[in-house]
Amino acid sequence: MEGDMGAATASQSDDNDQKTEEAYRFLHALCTDNKLRDKWKKAIEQSKNASGPDRLSYLDNVISGSGYYTSLTQVLDLVKFDEWDPQGQYPFSVENRSQQEITVYITTAKAPTNPPSLDSHSYYPIYIHVDTVAPGQSKDFKTHYASARIAVCRTSDDFPLSSHVVEDLMPDSQKIQVSANAQPATNQALNFYKSYVTQPYDPISLKFYDVITNTSTDKLSDKVAEFFSANGYPGVDIEAFTLVSYWATNSLYAFPGTYYCYEPQSSTDGFILPTSPVGTISIEDGKATYSPSSGGDSSDLTLAGSKLTTPAATQKKGIYLTGILRDISSENENNKRIILSFVGTRDGKKLIAQPDKQVAFPWYVATYDLAYTAFMTVVVVMNIHMAVHILKAIASDLVYLKNNIPKLVDSIRAWANKTGETAGPESSIGEDVDPINVDVDVDVDIDVDIDVDIDVDVDVDVDVDVDVDIDVDIDVDFLAVVDVDVDIDINVNIDIDVDVDIDVDIDVDIDIDTDVDVQPGMVRGLINQVGKWVLKKGLPFLLKNAAIYFAFQSAGQLLDAWKKADLSAINDNIQPRESTGLGLLINYMLNEKNSIQERWNTFADFAQHPQTETKSLEMAVASIQAAKNDAADNASRNWRWSTQEEGDAVSKMSQYAQNDAYKAFQELGKYTYKGKALPVKIGAGIAMRYLKKL
């Protein structure tokens, strides 16, 4: 009975969440859909003389009849109206001095609570359409809010021009003038937005992330303005950034075009690239329509909060897609474009959409996870900026917000993680399979040094079969927090047939060293450096021949281990999804469909990428050694060579200094012993010894 009640409560909560999300969509549609807005105005007018319950029921039917699974009560809760009437009691005017028609919006957020809510979307901007103002004209308006944030947009494509705060007690603020040159700041802000969300690991993007996550709310606006001024975006401030962020994730004018829809498939052998589109999405003049290839009925779509959906869609019903910007220059050097692509579901089946007719490689496997940090940070900025505006009337609320920002960010982080569950077919690469080959929760350095000396004195006509089975159980106790058990079995089979009268001394030295001295900041540094290389250049290489059983292994647990040595990584709240870039690199290196030389050449490209540090290379190599893979592990166990021969391989790499480390990895890829390429984990051991010398 208790379980049934719990399930019912969870179901009611999910239903309420969906109705709230639908209320957001309805309000957004009132801003973007002229027909719906006219229909709604007419319904408001026709029902104004009806009794309260009758009017409520009538307007509920209008909302549901328009395809939105919500109610007027939920809509009013969002905009803080007692009844629907955008015209309130606080006056303001807008004078349009530009040469283009403008649209005026009031922007708000959910009603504040006591204490202030820390839920993920409590302060996500809500736009309320007010009216348009023709060039050279002026209009008077009223708002419900004593302190109202007004957004002014270009009517032709809804692009934001400026924002203004109208205060009841500040008469001068109530007269808004839109000049002819009101656009440059938001143009520059859009340029930065595109760069940030497609290249979140670039140095300037990392600086921006640092400003957002390490600045108190009372200083954030000033710090953001300083950041933009110092980094080539003069005039851009947090207002301009939040305006274009909202436009890029909510306006169908932002990325018009035809998008080809595919249902990607996969098998145990790998990802099967779809070749025949199941439909197209046409985005034009602020409208989106899905047309199936089968010739069936088309469906209208709305874009709200990066979600492109049919009315009342869920993950299992209708079209439910998340838009993600991609810089495709890494896929094709001659095609330097930033494009919008979509990942999600149609009636529960995987669906992707892209502007190119041909799916060149399975980009959809990891795109969301690689953009995760930027995706989350943009929502954090919009929420915090609006929260400061909404809560500023009560000083104690602002103090509460300032002291609890980490909790708000955690809520948004959880939302971003949940979004990732549907934001890409085969997403969550950073969390599914335990890849660690040492029965781990590894807490710090995995330091396993095994030296086996076999001295055999053999006289004439002696056949010696030596089978050495070494089982080493190592307990690593780091600050008495975690106990790590590492079981390593090494079978050394030596058959010696000696037919001479001499002493034979055989020294077999098997040295497995994954000892990495993890210092503060190194885990984040590794994630950033791998992520930057993957997005700039590496993704198409890493997804070549990607097999399911490789692509779903991750480096997440190893990062968890290192995070305990690098306490800054714990405080930084590094998420499993952020290990995806490293996971892809490891999986590629363990994929036998790629030749050993190809693999180390690709690793060399990573090593050559600007700002790849030696310690990051050590951690990446250690990850390859620690990742569980039967084929690679067996090849490593069965490998035979002497200490001298191993040293020769290290020497071959050591001819290259730190600045030319990538050449050493290229050399490793070419290196052979008795005509055979070195197994990847043997090669990783050689690489680690080389890196330790730098």
Side-chain angles (χ1 to χ4, degrees), residues 281-320:
I281 294 173
S282 175
I283 300 180
E284 186 178 7
D285 296 329
K287 296 180 177 61
T289 305
Y290 172 79
S291 301
S293 298
S294 62
D297 293 337
S298 60
S299 304
D300 292 334
L301 303 158
T302 58
L303 178 67
S306 294
K307 296 283 197 317
L308 185 69
T309 61
T310 49
T314 66
Q315 298 171 18
K316 297 182 179 179
K317 182 184 71 174
I319 295 175
Y320 194 87

Side-chain angles (χ1 to χ4, degrees), residues 460-681:
V460 181
D461 294 322
V462 178
D463 188 314
V464 181
D465 185 89
V466 183
D467 188 352
V468 183
D469 190 337
I470 304 170
D471 190 317
V472 183
D473 184 82
I474 300 173
D475 288 330
V476 180
D477 195 318
F478 174 64
L479 297 181
V481 176
V482 175
D483 194 50
V484 181
D485 291 325
V486 183
D487 290 323
I488 301 174
D489 290 321
I490 301 175
N491 293 302
V492 184
N493 296 306
I494 308 167
D495 290 295
I496 309 160
D497 194 328
V498 184
D499 194 21
V500 286
D501 188 13
I502 59 171
D503 288 332
V504 180
D505 181 67
I506 301 171
D507 181 74
V508 180
D509 181 29
I510 300 171
D511 184 23
I512 302 172
D513 186 359
T514 55
D515 182 19
V516 180
D517 183 17
V518 180
Q519 298 295 321
M522 280 178 56
V523 174
R524 172 58 71 186
L526 174 65
I527 287 173
N528 291 344
Q529 288 171 6
V530 174
K532 181 182 178 184
W533 171 72
V534 170
L535 286 172
K536 286 280 189 183
K537 191 173 182 181
L539 189 59
F541 295 104
L542 299 186
L543 288 176
K544 178 185 176 184
N545 297 324
I548 287 290
Y549 45 86
F550 289 119
F552 280 89
Q553 292 183 352
S554 77
Q557 291 198 10
L558 189 58
L559 287 180
D560 280 345
W562 280 329
K563 279 160 60 176
K564 295 186 178 73
D566 177 2
L567 295 180
S568 68
I570 298 177
N571 296 331
D572 197 19
N573 256 315
I574 292 176
Q575 298 295 294
R577 290 187 185 281
E578 296 181 81
S579 72
T580 292
L582 179 59
L584 286 172
L585 176 59
I586 296 170
N587 298 323
Y588 172 86
M589 294 299 294
L590 296 176
N591 190 344
E592 290 187 307
K593 291 184 178 181
N594 305 314
S595 72
I596 290 292
Q597 186 167 359
E598 279 183 303
R599 288 183 247 177
W600 286 116
N601 281 346
T602 298
F603 194 92
D605 192 85
F606 164 56
Q608 188 181 10
H609 200 68
Q611 298 180 324
T612 301
E613 299 172 355
T614 300
K615 287 297 182 183
S616 290
L617 294 175
E618 285 185 21
M619 293 175 77
V621 169
S623 301
I624 296 167
Q625 291 178 287
K628 180 178 176 62
N629 180 268
D630 289 343
D633 295 337
N634 289 333
S636 181
R637 274 196 212 79
N638 295 329
W639 186 255
R640 301 287 175 270
W641 64 356
S642 69
T643 303
Q644 177 62 48
E645 290 153 345
E646 183 182 8
D648 290 344
V650 176
S651 298
K652 198 72 172 177
M653 292 187 73
S654 297
Q655 63 183 303
Y656 299 103
Q658 185 170 358
N659 290 340
D660 288 328
Y662 74 96
K663 294 180 181 179
F665 288 104
Q666 291 173 342
E667 196 68 45
L668 179 61
K670 294 186 294 184
Y671 195 84
T672 61
Y673 173 67
K674 292 185 177 180
K676 294 182 179 180
L678 305 187
V680 67
K681 289 198 174 185

Side-chain angles (χ1 to χ4, degrees), residues 259-262 276-281 290-298 346:
Y259 295 81
Y260 298 89
C261 302
Y262 298 88
S276 300
V278 296
T280 58
I281 294 173
Y290 172 79
S291 301
S293 298
S294 62
D297 293 337
S298 60
R346 183 184 65 157

